[in-house]
Amino acid sequence: MSSLLKVDNEIKTKVDAFRERITSEAEDLVANFFPKKLLELDHFLKDPIINITDLKEIHSEINLTVPDPILLSNLHDGLEAQNAKKRKLEDGGGEDKVTGTKVFVMPGGMMKSNANLVDLIEKVKPEIRTLIEKCNTVKMWVQLLIPRIEDGNNFGVSIQEETVAELRTVEGEAASYLDQISRYYITRAKLVSKIAKYPHVEDYRRTVTEIDEKEYISLKIIVSELRNQYVTLHDMILKNIEKIKRPRSSNADALY
């Protein structure tokens, strides 16, 4: 078969070395790294930082004072009333519009994030990235073990393909956790901007507290899911390791 395609010997040697490296890394990940990681994450889930029962402890003070209300007197002067009526018509038919307060600078300087959640997020994000990277390595290893396409005797190949699909699913879910963290920051920033513009509206302040609590709960769920994914992958691959490594026992020499 190799005679049908001419491959440079030097390149072939480097590709074979790459395959051997991927194989060595992936087998070590499945045999050692995955079980160690699931135990680490299980221990992390017992850490007090992620088991706060009274969520008021994670609240962050919103350092934006409520300004004194401005009392507007009625317009008695005829000229002023006429000008006011003209402005209303120009603004859209005289409907009342709440424009809020123009914000040029925060009174207390930069509005800080929720420090408690930032610390927790910075501990969780590396774990998410690690899972994505390790899944990618194991997925490549299984894909390289898939033999050439033939009629019949494909049960082992179907197991390999299901393993690859599971690894790809785990990768996608882990990537969605990073998106969730980004959305939290964006949503919170918009709400804080609303508070600065409408400081008298209490609901905006309460909403910030609500999304902080929601994010805290979500982070604990993410850590739990990361642990579960390590458990699932380790168990699935070990149970099917024979078929994954030798999908066709009679055609073992036909592997790529």
Side-chain angles (χ1 to χ4, degrees), residues 144-159:
L144 290 174
L145 290 172
I146 297 176
R148 66 187 180 187
I149 300 173
E150 292 182 356
D151 292 333
N153 195 21
N154 287 319
F155 178 70
V157 177
S158 66
I159 292 177

Side-chain angles (χ1 to χ4, degrees), residues 222-234:
I222 287 174
V223 175
S224 178
E225 285 297 320
L226 293 176
R227 179 202 59 186
N228 296 345
Q229 286 163 343
Y230 277 118
V231 174
T232 302
L233 292 175
H234 178 69

Side-chain angles (χ1 to χ4, degrees), residues 168-222:
R168 187 175 289 114
T169 299
V170 170
E171 274 187 293
E173 290 180 358
S176 71
Y177 300 152
L178 295 175
D179 291 337
Q180 177 181 321
I181 292 172
S182 299
R183 287 196 302 271
Y184 159 70
Y185 282 126
I186 292 172
T187 302
R188 195 177 194 278
K190 289 180 179 179
L191 283 170
V192 172
S193 300
K194 288 286 189 181
I195 295 172
K197 191 173 183 180
Y198 305 104
H200 295 89
V201 181
E202 183 183 4
D203 286 343
Y204 284 132
R205 297 174 184 265
R206 289 187 177 274
T207 306
V208 170
T209 300
E210 291 293 331
I211 67 166
D212 283 349
E213 293 180 0
K214 177 184 175 183
E215 183 64 16
Y216 179 81
I217 296 170
S218 296
L219 288 170
K220 183 174 182 178
I221 294 174
I222 287 174

